[in-house]
């Protein structure tokens, strides 16, 4: 495996050249920030959830991101309809299992989506990834109660079982197809104090996967870019409020120099 | 026609003096920014969508903004109920046809709203305005795939057919009643990199239309104010994240001096 | 009564030590800012509304915040289900009666929640608190049309009738159990120009009530912390846009020094 700074730079150029339309069915908390992050990195976001237009929206999309953060039965129906259409069309599908393990409803819904839509990528925090394999794991709502390294074995098993790329975000990010596992060590401790940066990471994975052939590496690039932008933002931030907006600026201004200077694997 | 800096200043003073209550039925992505923009310019925003309270909310409102960004059947019912009540009451109604043309569901819904609610103003990007007249236009989700000047003829035709003021936002903004067409050349290239500034423009059109008799000029003032605030914000911004917040500050601090210094028609 | 700077500092330490999970059923406009404010102060937010998971989410939560800002029948069902579960479990419930009085639907829904869920705390602006006792009060949508001191008698009566702590936010904040009434004089005139800081205050009341035994004092600490963070933010802000983010930073960085320097009762 030869994933390095140059890979990330190449992927970023490809993303900006293709400017993929990323269709998001995501939660109310993060919609604005997710759309802004996708615009900042060079993708084109669309947020839509009505069953009535799911197939038509997938037709024009290059990736689909399903995030269960504020789920309800009507939205799940939209997710399943879009997910099946996306599988049929062959575009990457990212599942963000927000709060899996916090309630049975969330865990069950994730598995329904996994079985019916066959996502390409599952990105969550350690608690969420572990919860998908084991209902007894401790969670703290939507925040992780475990470190990312504790979930690596679960992630590898989940990747094999579901034939997906599994991404655990945390102090170290792990990206695995079950056999190969990449690590990204970029990021900053202030990032978990901003709501929804994990959700943003899922959307950015979708954007990279839409414009890169190797999905494992696409996700590693996405997580590296997230972490690097977070580090650059943290240099200017005085807290979580300023971090969020400098993060968007950093994503927008990210170039080969910044990537080469900051990348840590 | 004598629309100039003084007109805009007069309209802004009127808006601040009347502080109109603007009722928004808008999408999940932009609700926060739209409300903040309305507060910053001196209006009073309310966001409400339930059929159960639509008529009562319209009773106390001075303008209604209908934005179909994250539409579904239940919300459409609320939009139609509010729209009919607003027409009956005689307050300005702004329709923002977000993503018209991206899916048939969106285009059809817009026409349903146009026919049943008779909006006063339709504000969209070039793709959306063209899509309302011709289902074959190319769109890129909710972003425009065309320049605003390409949509001027369509806008004029749409204005005549629907008896509305049509506003196209873009590098140059066009505001037309079908016969007269005003142009506003303010704005900044970073603005489309912030999600939902178009939606904000629609709400600001509603606020100006609520407090100004001449709706064509009210919309021109709204678009000028948007563009000028965007230019002022861009001077301080390092990217889309900082642009959004400096934009709100600029709206809040906007005065005759700034308008006279920046206005370009 | 001996509520002072030291009380607030003690409560803040307790909050940070317990890091309570606060379950919010709140409106679309403020979800992001509310979650970020809870993270900044040291709590853990979760946003969830589906009836299907309400009981399970309450099981892991330390406080429940019900905010009717963008209510509809489906969400009300979720609120009632969660509220009853929270009463049974004995965790604090905060009701934020956004726009009570603006439409009968809102006022009626508030009383339904009060009767069925027995909230611990009701936090609103003057218009909303008065509207809960008298349907004839004037409101301006979700903004207050009255000063907080005008609502003190209503707040005391409401507190007695409903056996709650009632909090009126305004230039002076009043916190009452019907007999004792505390005042907090912190805050800044720019704060009402940022949408949803009242909603944030309700969530912060929930976080303090979850980690402090005396609910009256917990709410006073919450309002003091809100006002102090607002003052600190206003020193750096050039308008409502920058105020919001500096406010989150200020909440995050708040310490005993800042509290002692700024507190005004």
């Amino acid at each position: 495996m030869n994933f390095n700074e140059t890979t990330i730079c190449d992927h970023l150029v490809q993303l900006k050249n293709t400017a993929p339309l990323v269709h998001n069915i995501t939660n109310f908390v993060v919609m604005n920030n997710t759309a802004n992050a996708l615009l900042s990195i060079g993708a084109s976001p669309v947020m839509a959830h009505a069953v009535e237009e799911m197939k038509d929206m997938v037709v024009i999309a290059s990736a689909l991101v399903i995030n269960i953060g504020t789920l309800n039965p009507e939205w799940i129906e939209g997710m399943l309809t879009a997910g099946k259409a996306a599988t049929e069309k062959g575009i990457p599908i990212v599942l963000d299992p927000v709060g899996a393990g916090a309630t049975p409803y969330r865990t069950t819904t994730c598995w329904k989506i996994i079985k019916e839509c066959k996502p390409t990528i599952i990105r969550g925090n350690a608690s969420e990834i572990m919860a998908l394999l084991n209902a007894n794991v401790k969670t703290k709502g939507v925040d992780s109660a475990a470190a990312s390294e504790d979930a690596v074995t679960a992630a590898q098993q989940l990747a094999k079982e579901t034939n997906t790329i599994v991404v655990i975000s945390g102090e170290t990010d792990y990206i695995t197809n079950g056999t190969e596992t990449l690590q990204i060590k970029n990021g900053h401790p202030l990032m978990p104090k901003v709501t929804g940066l994990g959700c943003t990471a899922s959307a950015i994975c979708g954007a990279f996967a839409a414009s890169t052939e190797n999905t494992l590496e696409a996700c590693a690039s996405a997580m590296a870019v997230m972490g690097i932008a977070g580090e650059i933002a943290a240099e200017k931030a005085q807290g979580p409020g300023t971090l969020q907006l400098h993060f968007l600026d950093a994503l927008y201004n990210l170039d080969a120099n910044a990537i080469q200077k900051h990348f840590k694997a």
Side-chain angles (χ1 to χ4, degrees), chain A residues 11-213:
Chain A
H11 289 173
L12 185 58
V13 170
Q14 283 168 40
L15 194 167
K16 287 188 190 294
N17 286 344
T18 50
L21 183 67
V22 181
H23 174 190
N24 301 270
I25 310 178
T26 189
N27 70 73
F28 303 125
V29 186
V30 305
M31 278 197 196
N32 187 270
N33 294 342
T34 301
N36 274 327
L38 287 168
L39 282 170
S40 288
I41 198 74
S44 196
V46 71
M47 269 63 188
H49 66 284
V51 177
E52 286 79 2
E53 64 170 351
M54 281 303 90
K55 286 182 191 171
D56 295 318
M57 200 56 96
V58 167
V59 165
I60 59 169
S62 298
L64 172 67
V65 180
I66 299 176
N67 175 308
I68 66 155
T70 51
L71 78 178
N72 77 6
E74 183 197 345
W75 282 65
I76 295 171
E77 206 190 329
M79 291 171 186
L80 295 172
T81 308
K84 286 175 204 162
T87 305
E88 223 168 274
K89 189 185 168 189
I91 58 172
I93 303 172
V94 186
L95 170 64
D96 188 328
V98 180
T103 66
Y105 188 51
R106 292 180 180 241
T107 317
T108 309
T109 298
C110 286
W111 277 105
K112 200 171 166 65
I113 293 168
I114 292 170
K115 280 179 183 148
E116 296 191 22
C117 307
K118 305 193 196 322
T120 323
I121 300 159
I122 302 174
R123 191 224 57 88
N125 62 36
S127 286
E128 290 158 353
I129 297 301
M130 289 190 281
L132 288 179
L133 285 186
N134 173 0
N136 293 322
V137 75
K138 284 267 170 66
T139 72
K140 188 163 188 188
V142 297
D143 296 324
S144 189
S148 54
E149 45 272 30
D150 300 339
V152 175
T153 310
Q156 290 166 336
Q157 191 187 331
L158 184 65
K160 280 184 193 159
E161 265 187 35
T162 58
N163 195 26
T164 58
I165 305 296
V166 173
V167 181
I168 321 165
S169 44
E171 205 179 310
T172 300
D173 302 319
Y174 296 90
I175 303 100
T176 185
N177 58 12
T179 317
E180 287 178 288
T181 303
L182 299 175
Q183 299 185 18
I184 302 289
K185 302 210 165 176
N186 288 104
H188 191 276
L190 251 186
M191 294 176 78
K193 291 294 175 188
V194 178
T195 196
L197 281 185
C199 305
T200 295
S202 296
I204 299 294
C205 283
F208 274 96
S211 49
T212 306
E213 232 170 284

Side-chain angles (χ1 to χ4, degrees), chain A residues 235-252:
Chain A
E235 287 168 16
K236 299 185 180 177
Q238 285 109 38
T242 41
L243 187 81
Q244 168 70 68
L245 68 111
H246 289 305
F247 173 78
L248 292 173
D249 284 3
L251 270 189
Y252 180 74

